[in-house]
Amino acid sequence: NGAQQGTYIVHMAKSQMPSSFDHHFLWYDASLRSVSESAEMLYTYNNSIHGFATRLTPEEADSLMTQPGVISVQPEQRYELH
Amino acid sequence: TTRTPLFLGLDVHNSGLFPETGPSSNVVVGVLDTGIWPESKSFSDEGYGPIPPTWKGGCDAGTKFTTSLCNRKLIGARFFVRGYEAINGPVDESKESKSPRDDNGHGTHTASTAAGSVVEGANLLGFANGTARGIAYRARVAVYKVCWKTGCFASDILAGIDKAIEDNVNILSISLSGSRTGYTDDTAVGAFAAMERGIFVSCSAGNNGPFYSSVANVAPWITTVGAGTLDRDFPTVVILGNGKNYMGVSLFSGDALPPKLLPLVYAGNASNNATYGNFCISGTLIPEKVKGKIVMCDAGGNPARIGEVVKAAGGLGMILANMAYEGEEILADAFLLPATTVGKKAGDIIRHYILTDPNPTASIVIKGTVVNVQPSPVLAAFSSRGPNPITPNILKPDLIAPGVNILAAWTGAQGPSGLESDTRRVEFNIISGTSMSCPHVSGLAALLKSVHPEWSPAAIRSALMTTAYNTYKDGKPIIDIATLKPSTPFGHGAGHVSPTTAVNPGLIYDLTTEDYLGFLCAMNYNSSQIRIISRGNYACDPSKTYSVADLNYPSFAVNVDGSDTYKYKRTVTNVGGAGSYSVKVTSETTAVKISVEPAVLNFKEVNEKKSYSVTFTVDSSKPSGSDSFGSIEWSDGKHVVASPVAISW
């Protein structure tokens, strides 16, 4: 769709996973599919944070933010070695 | 590293403090960085016992890296590249290894600093020769490659932390940082999760010193490490035609200059670029004017690259002069031609000599490695400074450790200067930064964890801080090379690490996950922010009054905001024997009065906890931007439990 995609870190309220899902990774994926059929799930996290990393357009990111259980959708930062 | 263990008192006559066998070799140091060069002798597993049963990690195969390269020393090696590839496209495997293999050198250097095996006869081109060993040289190493050619991306970093937690590392060493917006930043959030699992997280404070409030990685559950020098240097002598001599530093090891005075030229007068000609930028030197001469360039870029420019233009040698920004801090560089860096003062004199003498000449003598340099440590100018830009009432950095001219293992994919044209290959390299001081503390934490496996990350940090020193043996304060004046707690935090006393600190300031969550409530974080960090349903209690001042931190920072009186509460846990501790407070100005209640704490048994309160009474009329420092020390005659106090208006 041409819009500039970026990588986003998505924080999820794991305890709000609907009972219809057996595993929170499936819930994350369904949440993502609800805003983009083609978005790539880069990583799902289980220990460092609860959530996942994905590629979205800004509009898709805004839309994902409205999904139940989504706490925050943060653009990925770049870090540097010291 | 060579020299550092001796400098830190970790040499043979203190080896009993940290038994070499048993628990010390069951501690796993995880390093988030650019990967590892597994063939380095620093990761030999000769003499190591079986991999600790608690270990759940492993090794990922990839470009030029098979799982067989892991061993009983290097017990984990993983890489995380999806975030990097999402932005940069597929890794060009002709230029970068899509595997844990370190193409850069930084990760090999930090991992071997923290926990490298013993290697006899280590050196860089003959410099800093000695027995290299990691601070916790019996510990195991697990590397998580999250940094690539163009940087380290949050999604990869979080994946590395995620896996390190699952693999069950005990220590996490992270020598990188991003923007400093708050505690919901990715490494801060990942570090919180690690801390909750009892993993000690040490991070570099950043190299943006000496600027005020430049410190990074300031989350209170992270140990933030600044950099100081060692008692070792690599001096040179610049001899001028007028007979004057000036000291410099260099790691050049090739053919020396001819033993005579050579014509000396200032780049600003030998360049086709009127504005920047003095910096010896590529393509700006006029070969006819520099050929066969020693060229003086002004500092401002990668020193080795500047040397490369002079060499390409036909210069025989180079004097690189610090400018105001670098001042008198001279970091050693592995130049590709006979060259030396000199401090600003010497540089200004040499420049004046060149511009006023009708026939300026000079020579450069490389003196090699000298030790027992005093005063040492001095605070590195580049070491980032407080106050804490996010929470001024939590003092950061926490402490300093060796970070200047540190020799440690290196990659086989790069030369020591890091320049493409540098075809030299070395097993060890000397580099500087808080990236180097952080793994020193990671290694120290591994040693403490091996002796005190029951200690929490906060207890380990407390022991390192309350036993750190901020004066030399003669009682004079540690010098800040940026000012050539005494350093302050905004520069050195609690002071320079002192492992031999940290192992038996007497009292510790412990902190639990709940304490840190209460701190976030005190910071007025909303429920979403707290949920991001806690990954749970913790909620602040509306009936409670939370205060940053009550976070049980081993240091004190007061940001004067109009009031005259500030109350802090602390609880100490006895980890020594029974004892009666008396308090001693110091304040450098009458503008700050410090009173402690009670003034005596009596302990009968180990793990007994006692609380005390501190009242800071300040002259709130002092001008904004003022700072004042002091200390709060408890002693039972055997232990000194010292906390710095930093007051800023």
Side-chain angles (χ1 to χ4, degrees):
Chain A
N1 54 19
Q4 186 59 31
Q5 274 201 328
T7 300
Y8 290 85
I9 308 295
V10 183
H11 292 269
M12 301 293 282
K14 200 170 162 183
S15 59
Q16 292 178 18
M17 180 176 82
S19 54
S20 55
F21 290 94
D22 295 339
H23 200 287
H24 54 275
F25 293 159
L26 300 174
W27 174 45
Y28 295 171
D29 195 56
S31 304
L32 185 56
R33 294 300 144 237
S34 67
V35 298
S36 163
E37 262 318 309
S38 62
E40 181 191 359
M41 183 75 89
L42 294 176
Y43 294 106
T44 52
Y45 304 108
N46 199 30
N47 302 304
S48 54
I49 70 168
H50 286 166
F52 57 94
T54 182
R55 301 280 292 169
L56 295 169
T57 65
E59 295 71 24
E60 289 166 339
D62 292 343
S63 168
L64 182 59
M65 191 57 211
T66 63
Q67 294 300 309
V70 175
I71 306 172
S72 91
V73 180
Q74 289 173 180
E76 176 182 55
Q77 280 192 59
R78 184 177 163 279
Y79 288 73
E80 290 200 343
L81 293 161
H82 288 151
Chain B
T1 65
T2 53
R3 191 67 189 177
T4 311
L6 184 73
F7 184 70
L8 292 176
L10 292 175
D11 46 340
V12 287
H13 62 266
N14 274 327
S15 58
L17 286 175
F18 302 103
E20 290 196 357
T21 55
S24 74
S25 69
N26 283 344
V27 176
V28 183
V29 179
V31 183
L32 256 71
D33 211 301
T34 60
I36 198 144
W37 195 262
E39 293 81 5
S40 168
K41 296 190 188 89
S42 290
F43 306 110
S44 157
D45 69 350
E46 193 180 324
Y48 280 78
I51 291 176
T54 52
W55 180 242
K56 302 197 185 78
C59 293
D60 301 343
T63 321
K64 294 183 276 185
F65 198 100
T66 60
T67 54
S68 63
L69 287 170
C70 282
N71 58 28
R72 290 169 302 179
K73 174 69 175 183
L74 178 60
I75 61 174
R78 298 187 186 281
F79 65 101
F80 303 88
V81 69
R82 289 184 216 150
Y84 175 60
E85 290 193 317
I87 291 185
N88 290 276
V91 168
D92 174 352
E93 298 192 40
S94 67
K95 293 197 178 78
E96 270 191 292
S97 304
K98 192 170 177 178
S99 73
R101 185 167 290 279
D102 179 10
D103 305 303
N104 172 288
H106 191 276
T108 303
H109 200 276
T110 54
S112 59
T113 295
S117 298
V118 176
V119 181
E120 307 290 343
N123 65 83
L124 166 63
L125 308 167
F127 289 98
N129 190 51
T131 299
R133 45 180 256 213
I135 297 300
Y137 61 93
R138 299 292 304 167
R140 318 292 176 128
V141 174
V143 298
Y144 298 84
K145 181 174 179 179
V146 297
C147 293
W148 303 84
K149 237 183 205 345
T150 61
C152 326
F153 296 90
S155 56
D156 293 329
I157 293 170
L158 282 173
I161 295 175
D162 212 67
K163 202 65 184 167
I165 292 172
E166 185 182 313
D167 290 348
N168 218 13
V169 301
N170 302 106
I171 313 289
L172 210 42
S173 195
I174 306 178
S175 286
L176 49 87
S177 78
S179 69
R180 302 170 302 151
T181 49
Y183 302 128
T184 56
D185 282 355
D186 307 301
T187 42
V189 175
F192 189 94
M195 172 278 297
E196 263 189 315
R197 302 288 190 90
I199 297 169
F200 176 92
V201 182
S202 54
C203 290
S204 43
N207 303 337
N208 293 315
F211 297 112
Y212 196 75
S213 201
S214 54
V215 62
N217 292 319
V218 295
W221 48 86
I222 288 175
T223 297
T224 314
V225 187
T229 62
L230 281 179
D231 63 345
R232 174 179 68 192
D233 215 339
F234 309 100
T236 63
V237 178
V238 173
I239 303 163
L240 297 183
N242 62 9
K244 297 279 176 47
N245 295 350
Y246 299 94
M247 296 291 282
V249 171
S250 176
L251 292 172
F252 174 72
S253 73
D255 299 335
L257 289 170
K260 61 177 183 176
L261 291 169
L262 293 164
L264 178 59
V265 65
Y266 178 53
N269 295 337
S271 163
N272 56 26
N273 182 315
T275 315
Y276 301 118
N278 56 318
F279 294 113
C280 300
I281 295 169
S282 181
T284 63
L285 289 178
I286 302 169
E288 298 72 39
K289 292 195 172 183
V290 302
K291 194 169 174 52
K293 297 178 182 174
I294 292 178
V295 183
M296 177 175 185
C297 306
D298 291 334
N302 176 323
R305 188 176 308 285
I306 294 170
E308 192 184 37
V309 169
V310 171
K311 185 173 181 180
L316 279 186
M318 176 180 75
I319 297 170
L320 184 62
N322 276 359
M323 305 298 274
Y325 177 74
E326 298 83 10
E328 297 314 306
E329 177 162 78
I330 313 175
L331 305 180
D333 279 284
F335 295 108
L336 288 154
L337 81 165
T340 182
T341 303
V342 296
K344 180 179 183 306
K345 284 182 189 144
D348 290 348
I349 294 169
I350 296 169
R351 190 179 305 105
H352 178 71
Y353 162 70
I354 297 173
L355 300 177
T356 54
D357 189 290
N359 178 29
T361 57
S363 187
I364 302 170
V365 177
I366 310 281
K367 306 286 277 181
T369 306
V370 295
V371 292
N372 297 320
V373 170
Q374 298 304 335
S376 60
V378 298
L379 176 68
F382 63 72
S383 193
S384 290
R385 312 299 167 95
N388 181 331
I390 298 174
T391 312
N393 284 349
I394 299 287
L395 177 63
K396 288 285 185 178
D398 289 316
L399 37 71
I400 63 173
V404 177
N405 297 340
I406 302 298
L407 177 133
W410 195 245
T411 174
Q414 290 250 20
S417 66
L419 298 179
E420 300 282 322
S421 63
D422 188 351
T423 55
R424 298 171 296 181
R425 289 297 176 261
V426 293
E427 291 184 85
F428 295 90
N429 196 7
I430 294 173
I431 55 178
S432 302
T434 51
S435 273
M436 285 66 244
S437 56
C438 168
H440 275 90
V441 170
S442 309
L444 291 176
L447 290 179
L448 291 175
K449 188 75 180 173
S450 69
V451 175
H452 298 290
E454 76 287 358
W455 278 9
S456 69
I460 292 172
R461 191 245 322 274
S462 175
L464 290 169
M465 286 180 68
T466 62
T467 59
Y469 62 89
N470 44 51
T471 61
Y472 299 116
K473 290 186 175 62
D474 61 7
K476 293 198 177 86
I478 287 179
I479 294 295
D480 178 350
I481 198 161
T483 60
L484 299 179
K485 294 193 181 94
S487 170
T488 74
F490 284 145
H492 60 248
H496 191 284
V497 287
S498 169
T500 50
T501 42
V503 72
N504 182 14
L507 306 175
I508 54 156
Y509 293 84
D510 213 345
L511 280 160
T512 65
T513 301
E514 196 87 7
D515 295 330
Y516 288 122
L517 291 171
F519 160 78
L520 296 173
C521 297
M523 292 286 292
N524 297 318
Y525 269 45
N526 63 39
S527 58
S528 290
Q529 290 171 312
I530 289 181
R531 191 187 282 263
I532 285 172
I533 295 168
S534 70
R535 298 173 324 292
N537 296 321
Y538 180 89
C540 302
D541 177 345
S543 68
K544 267 185 81 173
T545 304
Y546 295 94
S547 166
V548 169
D550 292 343
L551 184 69
N552 200 38
Y553 218 71
S555 57
F556 295 87
V558 178
N559 185 44
V560 178
D561 57 6
S563 168
D564 292 340
T565 306
Y566 298 86
K567 270 193 178 311
Y568 283 57
K569 188 166 107 22
R570 289 294 186 270
T571 298
V572 283
T573 305
N574 180 29
V575 293
S580 175
Y581 284 80
S582 303
V583 72
K584 183 181 84 177
V585 300
T586 65
S587 172
E588 66 181 23
T589 60
T590 55
V592 176
K593 284 187 183 52
I594 304 172
S595 66
V596 176
E597 276 299 321
V600 176
L601 297 172
N602 292 310
F603 292 90
K604 295 185 185 62
E605 53 204 38
V606 175
N607 291 329
E608 194 178 350
K609 291 179 183 289
K610 297 270 185 188
S611 296
Y612 66 90
S613 65
V614 187
T615 303
F616 298 97
T617 310
V618 303
D619 168 2
S620 58
S621 67
K622 272 180 75 100
S624 170
S626 310
D627 296 330
S628 177
F629 303 99
S631 66
I632 294 173
E633 278 188 13
W634 291 92
S635 178
D636 64 347
K638 295 191 297 289
H639 309 92
V640 175
V641 186
S643 294
V645 172
I647 317 278
S648 47
W649 278 262

